[in-house]
Amino acid sequence: MKNIIEIRNLNYGFSKDKKILKNLSISIPKGSIFGFLGANGAGKSTTMKLLIGGIPDETNSIQIFGKNLSGFYPNGFGKIGSLIDSAAFYDHLSGWENLIIISKLRNLPKTECERVLHLVDLWENRNLKMKKYSLGMKQRLSIAMTLLGKPELLILDEPVNGLDPNGMLEIRELLIKLNQEEGVTILISSHLLQEIEKMITHLAIISHGEIKFIGSIKELNELYRYNHIKIGLNHAHKHMNEIPKNYSPKLIDENTIEITSKSKEDIIDLVKKLVLNHAEIFEIKSSAGLEEWFMEITKN
């Protein structure tokens, strides 16, 4: 199976006049860490609730593991671990006891609780009461709950939201480990672009319920890596008139010009032209990154 999730022309809203999702189409490859990125209110959580059956897919626009949701659930719940919003705990109980309750409800052995606690590095803290867990520890235990039963797919809605930098690092390392060592496909939504950029292999960018980009990180790089190139050179203002208008030159400061290009050949041609005009170039760098790309894509 190439794609573990297929969404085709999904529309959803509370009324015909107010659609939350508009012709949404997403393919999520098996074995990927797929970032579902967008601002708050863009439609990420609604899409995820549709995927796990929390909201009915009345148009049969969604397939998971090659099946429509109506044919996939309820038996399919064993193949999926999900965390939408935040997990609920019994604060007066320990992390171990919270996991035992869920494992009993799902008829899973205690060894599963031990396995997932080792995976999320909470075995040493298993007997600590939940009210003493840090936010990062609670988030790791939440993910441990989703891992009970060895799911093939994780659906995580904003799992690093509210965490400090160290907590974000812990969750990121955990998800990469699950993907690379356990072979788990992960769909993760977020609006924290700089953090999510460090772990994803593929992504979709959603804005106001519409997909603005979908593809691999490599494809996004090829499309946007030559946008917003900054050229450091002495007396920048003297060379502004030498740059053709199709580069959209912009004077940033006395030693920096920003240009837009479509390829590395464009940059080579411009640098040659500037050097022949005695420009003293000391730096060329791209300001492109996921945050800049996101702003550019959603703006247009």
Side-chain angles (χ1 to χ4, degrees):
M1 184 190 304
K2 187 179 179 183
N3 293 320
I4 210 160
I5 293 176
E6 289 277 3
I7 302 175
R8 288 286 170 264
N9 302 317
L10 173 63
N11 288 281
Y12 179 80
F14 299 116
S15 67
K16 289 183 179 179
D17 300 327
K18 192 173 182 180
K19 286 185 178 179
I20 299 172
L21 304 174
K22 306 161 191 173
N23 296 317
L24 201 77
S25 292
I26 300 174
S27 299
I28 299 179
K30 183 178 175 64
S32 64
I33 302 180
F34 192 99
F36 192 33
L37 312 180
N40 290 330
K44 303 187 302 297
S45 294
T46 299
T47 304
M48 289 185 152
K49 287 173 183 175
L50 281 157
L51 283 169
I52 63 168
I55 300 172
D57 173 27
E58 296 174 348
T59 59
N60 286 323
S61 302
I62 301 172
Q63 285 195 338
I64 300 182
F65 293 96
K67 294 182 179 179
N68 290 336
L69 297 191
S70 56
F72 181 67
Y73 294 124
N75 293 336
F77 279 121
K79 299 179 80 172
I80 291 179
S82 64
L83 178 60
I84 310 294
D85 299 323
S86 56
F89 303 107
Y90 294 104
D91 282 341
H92 64 290
L93 299 179
S94 68
W96 173 257
E97 289 166 333
N98 272 273
L99 279 177
I100 288 292
I101 290 169
I102 296 173
S103 66
K104 284 183 177 179
L105 287 171
R106 295 184 57 187
N107 295 316
L108 296 170
K110 285 184 180 180
T111 52
E112 263 300 279
C113 299
E114 183 176 345
R115 182 185 72 86
V116 297
L117 281 172
H118 280 296
L119 269 177
V120 302
D121 199 25
L122 281 176
W123 178 250
E124 300 298 325
N125 301 107
R126 65 190 181 281
N127 294 320
L128 197 65
K129 300 294 184 188
M130 287 302 306
K131 57 189 174 185
K132 294 185 178 179
Y133 270 40
S134 68
L135 188 58
M137 291 168 71
K138 285 181 178 179
Q139 202 69 347
R140 279 188 282 148
L141 189 68
S142 299
I143 293 174
M145 290 176 172
T146 72
L147 294 172
L148 288 168
K150 297 185 178 180
E152 296 175 48
L153 170 66
L154 286 187
I155 298 175
L156 307 175
D157 188 19
E158 301 275 5
V160 296
N161 199 17
L163 297 181
D164 61 23
N166 191 55
M168 288 183 184
L169 175 64
E170 289 176 352
I171 297 300
R172 182 173 83 235
E173 289 178 343
L174 169 61
L175 295 180
I176 291 172
K177 176 184 174 183
L178 289 170
N179 176 256
Q180 294 181 352
E181 296 181 14
E182 304 288 321
V184 180
T185 302
I186 301 171
L187 170 60
I188 176 171
S189 77
S190 186
H191 64 280
L192 301 172
L193 305 178
Q194 287 182 324
E195 180 57 33
I196 216 76
E197 183 180 11
K198 297 169 186 174
M199 73 175 93
I200 58 176
T201 60
H202 297 72
L203 73 156
I205 294 175
I206 184 172
S207 179
H208 301 290
E210 296 181 90
I211 296 297
K212 300 296 184 181
F213 175 87
I214 183 165
S216 66
I217 284 288
K218 182 181 177 183
E219 288 168 334
L220 187 65
N221 272 328
E222 288 172 354
L223 276 175
Y224 287 92
R225 69 185 301 179
Y226 298 116
N227 277 2
H228 308 301
I229 302 296
K230 289 183 178 177
I231 301 174
L233 70 171
N234 293 328
H235 312 297
H237 67 280
K238 293 182 179 179
H239 299 279
M240 282 292 289
N241 292 332
E242 298 162 8
I243 302 175
K245 288 184 179 179
N246 60 293
Y247 286 92
S248 303
K250 186 192 299 181
L251 188 67
I252 302 299
D253 56 45
E254 63 180 16
N255 292 316
T256 311
I257 294 173
E258 184 180 86
I259 58 107
T260 298
S261 65
K262 294 181 180 178
S263 67
K264 63 181 179 183
E265 286 75 23
D266 281 353
I267 299 170
I268 291 168
D269 290 343
L270 180 59
V271 170
K272 282 181 180 177
K273 182 180 178 66
L274 289 171
V275 170
L276 287 171
N277 283 287
H278 309 293
E280 298 171 342
I281 297 172
F282 57 82
E283 185 178 43
I284 299 172
K285 65 178 181 178
S286 170
S287 61
L290 187 54
E291 194 161 354
E292 289 81 9
W293 293 329
F294 177 83
M295 295 304 293
E296 185 72 21
I297 291 166
T298 53
K299 181 175 68 178
N300 294 324

